Amino acid sequence: MSTTLVFQSDFDSFEEWHALLAPRLPGVRICRMDEVTEPASVRYALTWKPPQGFFAQYPNLKLLVNLGAGVDALVARDDLPAIPITRVSDPDMARMMASYVLFAVLRYARDIPAFERAQRERRWHYLHPRLPSSIRVGVLGLGELGARAAQELTRQGFDVRGWSRSAKQLPAVNCFHGLDQLDGFLGGCDILVVMLPLTPHTQGILDARRLALLPPGSCLINVSRGAVVDQPALTAALASGQIAEATLDVFDREPLPPEDPLWALDNVLITPHMASIAIPASAAAQIAENILRLERGDPLLHVIDPARGY
Ligand code: NDP
């Protein structure tokens, strides 16, 4: 019986992944779900939001590869098989995310929204540029994406602080950790960048009380998951000006419904969940390597912990 890798994603190009994986995995048949002829031959699955009941079709599944960094939708399922699950962990994905974060932070640090407003009114509006070192940027979540973004922010000369679950050391980043240090961390963020995974512990972690701890007039950038932030509380803080500006790539409902009040706030920049993506050209090698490791019996890389949620 041949060995099969089944691919299931409505967001990614099968042809592109196939072209990159096939030469690295000789002897493995790579096909879409509807092309599987021998379900028992399926040992690997490469998926992004597969349909309910997907896994039960493949009794010999040995490895599940999540086609992205965020595994919240996957680990919340009740039909998850008890096999190793790996995530995409890719420097190019981290670089793409860092570029979004840099764009959003620099836009605020250089007061661009104020100039955009002034231009709409044909108004010359001089604001004296601020030194990056005078601007405190906080990064919530110092994982593969957060640590990279924090590092890029230090290169721009910002006063960078970060917060994670366990203690960390990153060059030029003032590192905080644990729930006990969160309130104090938030009080020192002129710009807050949310880069946490969505887990039972992080869901709604930025509630009305914690949002109110941000200095008045601060800015918030969320590129993680909408549900990490209490969206109605954030909307209220933006409407009152307590939070001056927000760049939001993720929402508690996506697509953001047309009637959502966030659309009407002119201090909010909305992007449609595109801050970063899994990039086949750089991630395929890592996925193939993990499959070969599994076959050799070597430890897998980038394994997620379903119980921890990330
Ligand atoms: P990682 O799993 O590599 O890192 C997660 C970080 O969050 C770690 O530093 C971890 O702490 C910290 N963390 C997790 N739980 C807690 C907690 N309860 N309290 C404090 N800190 C916590 O994730 P990535 O950096 O790769 O990605 C982050 C998220 O970005 C993804 O989960 C996904 O939701 C989102 N994403 C969004 C995209 C977009 O286009 N908008 C694209 C890709 C990802 P520790 O280091 O101690 O474990």
Side-chain angles (χ1 to χ4, degrees):
M1 188 168 60
S2 64
T3 300
T4 303
L5 180 157
V6 62
F7 179 96
Q8 166 61 38
S9 168
D10 295 336
F11 297 89
D12 302 274
S13 160
F14 170 74
E15 289 74 19
E16 196 178 0
W17 281 102
H18 183 277
L20 289 158
L21 286 172
R24 294 180 163 93
L25 297 171
V28 177
R29 180 166 182 257
I30 302 171
C31 64
R32 294 189 180 88
M33 189 171 79
D34 55 5
E35 295 164 343
V36 173
T37 47
E38 292 175 286
S41 73
V42 173
R43 285 176 67 82
Y44 327 111
L46 194 55
T47 67
W48 181 251
K49 301 190 174 166
Q52 194 68 18
F54 174 84
F55 305 111
Q57 305 170 78
Y58 311 118
N60 297 320
L61 201 57
K62 294 283 180 283
L63 174 66
L64 172 52
V65 181
N66 184 57
L67 263 175
V71 293
D72 45 290
L74 196 61
V75 300
R77 296 170 68 116
D78 57 10
D79 65 343
L80 212 53
I83 58 171
I85 302 172
T86 61
R87 52 164 282 184
V88 168
S89 157
D90 164 14
D92 284 356
M93 179 188 218
R95 181 191 293 150
M96 186 184 272
M97 177 60 93
S99 76
Y100 182 103
V101 170
L102 265 187
F103 152 75
V105 169
L106 288 169
R107 184 167 169 266
Y108 294 140
R110 298 307 313 265
D111 298 311
I112 301 300
F115 300 130
E116 288 169 344
R117 280 180 205 114
Q119 184 175 343
R120 285 198 287 274
E121 296 162 13
R122 297 176 167 256
R123 183 166 49 87
W124 187 263
H125 178 51
Y126 183 83
L127 289 174
H128 204 62
R130 290 173 286 163
L131 283 180
S133 57
S134 70
I135 301 174
R136 299 166 300 173
V137 183
V139 180
L140 277 182
L142 294 172
E144 299 202 13
L145 305 183
R148 175 67 192 263
Q151 197 188 343
E152 297 288 345
L153 290 163
T154 64
R155 285 211 188 104
Q156 293 296 321
F158 292 107
D159 178 359
V160 182
R161 49 175 54 200
W163 182 76
S164 53
R165 197 173 51 92
S166 56
K168 292 257 174 316
Q169 283 194 324
L170 291 173
V173 178
N174 188 6
C175 292
F176 295 66
H177 70 278
L179 217 45
D180 292 350
Q181 296 185 6
L182 180 57
D183 289 4
F185 170 87
L186 292 172
C189 296
D190 301 312
I191 302 176
L192 177 68
V193 189
V194 187
M195 304 191 74
L196 290 166
L198 176 61
T199 72
H201 296 290
T202 63
Q203 177 150 16
I205 196 163
L206 288 178
D207 55 12
R209 185 189 71 78
R210 290 205 178 97
L211 289 173
L213 296 173
L214 290 168
S218 56
C219 303
L220 184 144
I221 296 156
N222 188 4
V223 289
S224 70
R225 288 291 183 266
V228 171
V229 184
D230 177 339
Q231 196 166 297
L234 174 63
T235 307
L238 284 160
S240 74
Q242 194 264 322
I243 294 180
E245 304 275 351
T247 299
L248 305 175
D249 186 51
V250 289
F251 304 89
D252 51 18
R253 268 181 68 198
E254 294 177 11
L256 185 66
E259 65 278 11
D260 194 285
L262 281 171
W263 289 111
L265 297 178
D266 99 320
N267 52 349
V268 178
L269 176 63
I270 290 174
T271 57
H273 199 147
M274 42 55 80
S276 191
I277 51 168
I279 300 167
S282 51
Q286 170 226 114
I287 291 171
E289 163 67 10
N290 249 346
I291 288 175
L292 298 173
R293 280 173 167 266
L294 182 85
E295 292 310 324
R296 290 196 301 262
D298 290 344
L300 296 175
L301 307 173
H302 319 300
V303 179
I304 65 104
D305 176 356
R308 196 179 63 164
Y310 71 102

